[in-house]
Amino acid sequence: MRAAADRRFRLLVFDWDGTLSDSTTIIAEAIQSACRDLALPVPDDAAARYVIGLGLADAIRTIAPRLPIDRHAHFAQRYRDHYLLRENAIPLFAGAAEMLGELDDAGYLLAIATGKSRTGLEAALADSGLVGRFHATRCASDGQPKPHPEMLLHLMDVLATEPAETLMIGDTTHDLALAQNAGTDALAVAYGAHAADGFGEYNPLATVDSIEALRQWLRAGG
């Protein structure tokens, strides 16, 4: 790990689902099941994974554009019902907790920017043993969802960091667009919800294909 004086970044902001948590398959399948429940066209895996990271309202509008707005709450409830049946089985990616501990011990500021609700993130942190690991968190239910820059702007304000000192780390184009809109650098991970071939237009500093590769990149380039 680089000495603090030699580091490019002070604040590392992680997405949750698909970046730290191996949850993308369960989320995509819950979306597909909710569509079946409401007799809607069922998206394929790629389309279901595409909306991961968006706020739930934006995800519903994208997945089911013809669904009347007065039925959105029903869709959301059916999605939650399917997701919650499997929520306790969702693991962190192997090595993620150890990586976060190493970064925390080294003095980095750690934060989360996620499309999850506040209730959902608090449950996930408790289940994964990471309560207290992050210096700040921001959820879609707290304000504007991705890719609006508000999440990162809020975290930088709370933690008194500048865009040049902040790195967004995520597995979707929504994460990379969030960083671009907020004026920060981004690092893409290719083991989550989105295929890496869509990352290039957002100019991430790099794309890594595992937690271990992410850990090594942060040791050398963070």
Side-chain angles (χ1 to χ4, degrees):
M1 194 68 65
R2 288 184 176 191
D6 298 328
R7 292 174 191 164
R8 181 172 179 179
F9 302 107
R10 291 178 57 225
L11 171 58
L12 304 178
V13 182
F14 292 86
D15 170 59
W16 183 261
D17 292 303
T19 300
L20 296 174
S21 174
D22 190 4
S23 53
T24 55
T25 296
I26 288 174
I27 293 172
E29 290 177 353
I31 290 169
Q32 292 167 328
S33 294
C35 288
R36 291 188 190 96
D37 291 347
L38 274 66
L40 297 169
V42 178
D44 62 19
D45 290 348
R49 286 172 175 261
Y50 173 77
V51 301
I52 294 174
L54 295 175
L56 187 56
D58 288 337
I60 294 171
R61 284 192 291 267
T62 302
I63 285 292
R66 297 183 181 179
L67 185 68
I69 188 119
D70 61 1
R71 298 187 68 202
H72 282 202
H74 187 197
F75 185 104
Q77 187 58 56
R78 295 307 301 141
Y79 163 76
R80 292 189 187 98
D81 289 344
H82 288 290
Y83 176 80
L84 290 173
L85 286 173
R86 302 169 66 186
E87 180 182 35
N88 291 339
I90 297 174
L92 293 175
F93 286 106
E98 293 79 5
M99 174 188 69
L100 293 168
E102 178 180 291
L103 295 168
D104 194 8
D105 290 345
Y108 283 97
L109 295 171
L110 303 180
I112 291 287
T114 177
K116 300 182 87 63
S117 68
R118 173 58 56 185
T119 299
L121 179 61
E122 289 179 355
L125 291 172
D127 288 343
S128 61
L130 293 179
V131 172
R133 177 61 76 193
F134 297 96
H135 298 86
T137 61
R138 193 69 171 172
C139 300
S141 59
D142 297 332
Q144 295 288 344
K146 301 172 187 177
H148 192 283
E150 190 269 348
M151 279 190 181
L152 276 179
L153 296 177
H154 172 84
L155 291 169
M156 288 187 286
D157 183 56
V158 167
L159 296 172
T161 60
E162 297 297 326
E165 303 173 296
T166 302
L167 179 67
M168 178 69 208
I169 302 164
D171 67 308
T172 71
T173 55
H174 315 310
D175 299 312
L176 304 183
L178 165 64
Q180 193 172 78
N181 293 338
T184 76
D185 283 314
L187 184 67
V189 305
Y191 51 79
H194 286 192
D197 56 10
F199 294 160
E201 66 180 285
Y202 298 96
N203 300 310
L205 295 178
T207 299
V208 297
D209 60 7
S210 67
I211 286 288
E212 182 57 29
L214 172 58
R215 190 176 194 171
Q216 294 300 329
W217 192 95
L218 291 172
R219 283 174 174 170

